[in-house]
């Protein structure tokens, strides 16, 4: 068994849809496919929502654009006239439903979280239909499956949902396994699921990697192959470090930490469902012969000089909470965590001292956190400070916690460039540590560390 996932960058023109068919035709194992939306379509859906909230005037226009984009794909991949008609009809039907949702938003000027998620899910609905029909036309038995039909069940965090793995697995036994047993390839919509009550939820931008991992879990698949338009994980962001190298092998934990701390290659939660199952994840470049990339295995290995990659996140800011005794006040972190989580604000990390609690959170959540936590001021808390001009750098590699001298090497490389380290955390993870520098020093620091280890 194998799960094959195609990202939007592989689903961008007729030739590439046909290339997907060839990849699937060459596949020897039983396969289920997970798809993203066609490249650019999710962005168009976000835009459509914005327009609808202002007025109904532009809905037709943007829907037309979305419709045309998919018709063009059908036109140039499906040759049989009747077949083509049938597929176009299916797409038109979906477009109609999407249209109703958008007009609903325009008329009410209201957007619930689940209607938003529902609208955003259409990209994957379209691409699943088109791919499964192209496969069928090419003699490969396939059928599109929408997440709510096969019951990919999630909690109700509508823009960053978490799947109930156990329940979803049971549902797959009923709705997906029988198809596989008949030799039919399921083409499953990535990016979204639904609550127990059937309301649509999404897994956030680029969430179809997570969908693919969920499908791998639910079908007990030992292999998850993810096709992208890049080489896989790199020793650093090639846009900053020109001689960055592709990483051929990583452990589940290393991949999870790298994604968590900023590497954009994989959705940060992809590894989550797969550690227990020991699934092998293969990232492959759709645009390179042989699809070379990165292999992510349950068990890692220790590289000679430990560090496999240095990554960064410049979307992170620090929310500082000052007070003479904050470090010693029982329950305060729990209270802060509770208040923030009620508003859907995620805390990346916490560093505390006797007089200050530092929360690492997304920059866009800083103001909102301030509003939410404002009532706590008084008591032990004296004041808040919001720090925006910083960035986080993470150094990742198996063995980093145990080997002596790695931290010294990292920080002396940074110090030599005259860069001040604002905060450090090590020991929280077996395979990573991170530190915070001023945003203006970010590039220099990343290059210095990369030079030190590569
Ligand atoms: N189509 C969604 C997005 O663009 C999900 C994905 O591509 O993984 O974010
Ligand atoms: Mg995408």
């Amino acid at each position: 068994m194998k799960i094959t996932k195609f990202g939007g960058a592989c689903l961008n023109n007729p030739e590439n849809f046909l290339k997907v068919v060839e990849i699937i035709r060459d596949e020897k194992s039983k396969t289920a496919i997970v798809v993203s939306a066609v490249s650019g379509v999710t962005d168009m859906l976000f835009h459509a929502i914005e327009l609808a909230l202002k007025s109904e005037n532009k809905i037709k226009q943007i829907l037309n654009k979305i419709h045309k984009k998919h018709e063009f794909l059908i036109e140039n991949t499906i040759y049989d006239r009747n077949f083509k008609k049938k597929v176009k009809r299916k797409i038109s039907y979906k477009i109609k439903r999407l249209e109703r949702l958008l007009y609903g938003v325009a008329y009410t000027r209201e957007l619930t979280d689940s209607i938003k998620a529902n609208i955003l899910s259409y990209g994957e609905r379209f691409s699943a239909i088109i791919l499964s029909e192209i496969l069928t036309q090419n003699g490969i038995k396939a059928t599109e499956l929408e997440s709510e039909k096969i019951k990919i069940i999630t909690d109700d965090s509508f823009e960053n949902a978490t799947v109930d793995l156990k329940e979803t697995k049971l549902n797959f036994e009923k709705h997906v396994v029988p198809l596989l047993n008949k030799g039919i390839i399921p083409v499953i919509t990535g990016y979204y699921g639904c609550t127990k009550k059937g309301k649509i939820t999404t897994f956030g931008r680029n969430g179809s990697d997570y969908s693919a991992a969920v499908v791998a879990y639910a079908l007990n698949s030992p292999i998850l192959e993810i096709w992208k338009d890049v080489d896989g994980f790199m020793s650093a962001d090639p846009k900053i470090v020109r001689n960055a190298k592709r990483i051929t092998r990583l452990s589940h934990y290393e991949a999870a930490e790298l994604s968590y701390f900023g590497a954009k290659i994989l959705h940060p939660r992809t590894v989550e469902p797969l550690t227990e199952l020991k699934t092998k994840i293969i990232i492959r470049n759709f645009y390179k012969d042989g699809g070379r990339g990165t292999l992510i295995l349950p068990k890692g290995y220790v590289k000679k000089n430990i560090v496999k990659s240095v990554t960064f996140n410049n979307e992170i800011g620090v929310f500082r909470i000052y007070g003479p005794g904050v470090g010693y006040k029982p329950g305060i972190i729990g209270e802060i965590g509770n208040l923030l989580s009620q508003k859907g604000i995620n805390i990346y990390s916490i560093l505390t001292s006797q007089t200050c609690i530092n929360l690492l959170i997304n920059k866009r959540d800083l103001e909102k956190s301030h509003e939410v936590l404002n009532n706590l001021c008084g008591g032990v808390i004296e004041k808040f400070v919001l720090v925006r001009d910083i960035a986080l750098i993470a150094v990742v590699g198996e063995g980093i916690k145990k080997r002596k001298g790695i931290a010294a090497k990292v920080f002396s490389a940074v110090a030599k460039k005259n860069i001040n380290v604002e905060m450090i955390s090590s020991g929280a993870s077996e395979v990573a540590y991170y530190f915070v520098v001023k945003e203006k020093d970010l590039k220099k620091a990343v290059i210095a560390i990369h030079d030190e280890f590569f």
Side-chain angles (χ1 to χ4, degrees):
M1 184 75 221
K2 182 176 184 177
I3 309 304
T4 312
K5 187 240 153 173
F6 295 97
C10 315
L11 305 173
N12 54 355
N13 62 36
E15 297 74 41
N16 285 335
F17 265 89
L18 295 172
K19 188 167 163 186
V20 168
V21 173
E22 291 320 308
I23 289 173
I24 296 302
R25 200 197 295 286
D26 288 344
E27 189 49 66
K28 304 276 178 313
S29 7
K30 216 188 241 185
T31 310
I33 300 175
V34 176
V35 285
S36 293
V38 169
S39 168
V41 170
T42 310
D43 289 332
M44 290 162 98
L45 292 166
F46 269 99
H47 187 49
I49 292 174
E50 262 172 48
L51 294 175
L53 277 169
K54 283 191 208 125
S55 91
E56 62 182 279
N57 292 338
K58 299 228 171 78
I59 293 177
K60 274 258 149 46
Q61 201 179 331
I62 183 127
L63 267 177
N64 230 332
K65 228 166 117 190
I66 295 173
H67 198 173
K68 286 261 161 58
K69 200 175 177 79
H70 292 96
E71 288 217 320
F72 174 80
L73 291 168
I74 297 167
E75 199 56 53
N76 293 287
T77 48
I78 294 178
Y79 307 115
D80 181 272
R81 255 186 59 217
N82 289 328
F83 206 90
K84 194 184 289 195
K85 250 201 211 144
K86 181 190 115 187
V87 184
K88 282 191 176 171
R89 224 178 298 129
K90 270 186 166 178
I91 295 293
S92 299
Y93 176 74
K94 292 283 169 205
I95 289 277
K96 276 260 147 54
R97 305 196 62 134
L98 173 60
E99 181 178 330
R100 282 193 212 141
L101 287 169
L102 287 169
Y103 276 110
V105 172
Y107 290 149
T108 57
R109 296 284 156 94
E110 249 177 47
L111 183 65
T112 66
D113 293 339
S114 90
I115 288 182
K116 181 174 179 191
N118 198 353
I119 292 172
L120 294 175
S121 71
Y122 271 75
E124 276 69 14
R125 299 173 193 271
F126 298 135
S127 62
I129 292 175
I130 295 179
L131 181 59
S132 82
E133 294 290 357
I134 300 176
L135 286 164
T136 307
Q137 180 197 241
N138 284 277
I140 301 168
K141 279 196 242 163
T143 185
E144 73 272 16
L145 295 177
E146 292 175 305
S147 306
E148 67 269 48
K149 301 231 169 84
I150 52 177
K151 299 207 160 51
I152 296 180
I153 299 296
T154 74
D155 60 8
D156 56 8
S157 172
F158 285 92
E159 282 181 79
N160 183 24
T162 300
V163 171
D164 182 333
L165 292 170
K166 299 271 151 16
E167 176 153 6
T168 299
K169 190 175 182 138
L170 286 176
N171 296 337
F172 268 49
E173 264 147 39
K174 217 157 82 211
H175 301 291
V176 185
V177 173
L179 291 167
L180 282 165
N181 289 341
K182 279 191 234 157
I184 298 170
I185 296 180
V187 181
I188 299 171
T189 48
Y191 186 44
Y192 78 94
C194 69
T195 66
K196 267 204 160 111
K197 288 186 178 146
K199 291 207 181 304
I200 302 297
T201 57
T202 77
F203 306 128
R205 290 316 300 265
N206 302 314
S208 54
D209 289 340
Y210 175 61
S211 302
V214 166
V215 171
Y217 177 93
L219 294 174
N220 247 324
S221 175
I223 302 177
L224 164 60
E225 188 173 79
I226 300 182
W227 290 88
K228 293 194 176 263
D229 61 343
V230 288
D231 274 348
F233 281 93
M234 304 290 286
S235 58
D237 184 338
K239 280 190 215 108
I240 291 183
V241 178
R242 253 196 271 126
N243 58 342
K245 293 180 184 63
R246 173 171 61 104
I247 305 171
T248 47
R249 221 182 104 188
L250 283 174
S251 68
H252 276 185
Y253 286 123
E254 286 171 327
E257 296 289 7
L258 279 172
S259 320
Y260 183 66
F261 285 120
K264 290 275 185 304
I265 165 93
L266 203 63
H267 187 276
R269 294 172 61 199
T270 311
V271 175
E272 213 175 278
L274 300 179
T275 35
E276 179 194 325
L277 208 70
K278 304 208 178 338
T279 295
K280 175 162 123 187
I281 306 168
I282 311 168
I283 297 177
R284 304 185 72 174
N285 190 338
F286 192 75
Y287 293 94
K288 289 229 171 105
D289 280 340
R292 57 175 215 188
T294 301
L295 201 59
I296 303 166
L297 300 173
K299 229 177 111 52
Y301 75 99
V302 177
K303 189 172 156 257
K304 198 159 150 255
N305 65 357
I306 302 284
V307 173
K308 296 205 181 77
S309 185
V310 40
T311 187
F312 65 88
N313 188 332
N314 53 6
E315 286 164 16
I316 278 182
V318 183
F319 191 88
R320 295 214 159 109
I321 302 164
Y322 286 98
V326 285
Y328 219 65
K329 171 121 168 68
I332 191 156
I333 291 188
E335 201 174 343
I336 292 168
N338 254 336
L339 288 168
L340 294 181
S341 78
Q342 279 166 20
K343 295 285 170 196
I345 297 169
N346 181 40
I347 304 173
Y348 276 87
S349 190
I350 303 181
L351 290 164
T352 63
S353 73
Q354 169 70 352
T355 57
C356 184
I357 299 173
N358 294 275
L359 306 176
L360 266 58
I361 56 182
N362 200 301
K363 277 185 186 133
R364 61 154 201 265
D365 290 334
L366 282 171
E367 283 302 335
K368 201 156 140 206
S369 303
H370 198 180
E371 280 162 31
V372 176
L373 298 178
N374 220 0
N375 288 338
L376 290 179
C377 223
V380 280
I381 294 173
E382 231 165 39
K383 63 169 180 187
F384 301 120
V385 173
L386 282 53
V387 191
R388 287 196 177 72
D389 58 344
I390 53 119
L392 177 151
I393 298 177
V395 183
V396 175
E398 288 281 341
I400 210 163
K401 197 171 160 186
K402 297 206 182 88
R403 177 77 59 88
K404 292 190 198 81
I406 301 295
K409 258 174 110 175
V410 170
F411 295 120
S412 80
V414 174
K416 266 187 235 153
K417 299 283 170 202
N418 222 349
I419 295 167
N420 186 41
V421 173
E422 311 274 311
M423 266 196 281
I424 303 173
S425 160
S426 82
S429 154
E430 290 287 327
V431 301
Y433 50 65
Y434 70 81
F435 56 97
V436 170
V437 295
K438 286 263 181 274
E439 197 165 7
K440 67 170 175 39
D441 294 330
L442 174 65
K443 281 186 186 172
K444 258 198 318 194
V446 170
I447 293 170
I449 297 165
H450 193 268
D451 282 350
E452 182 68 37
F453 289 93
F454 292 90

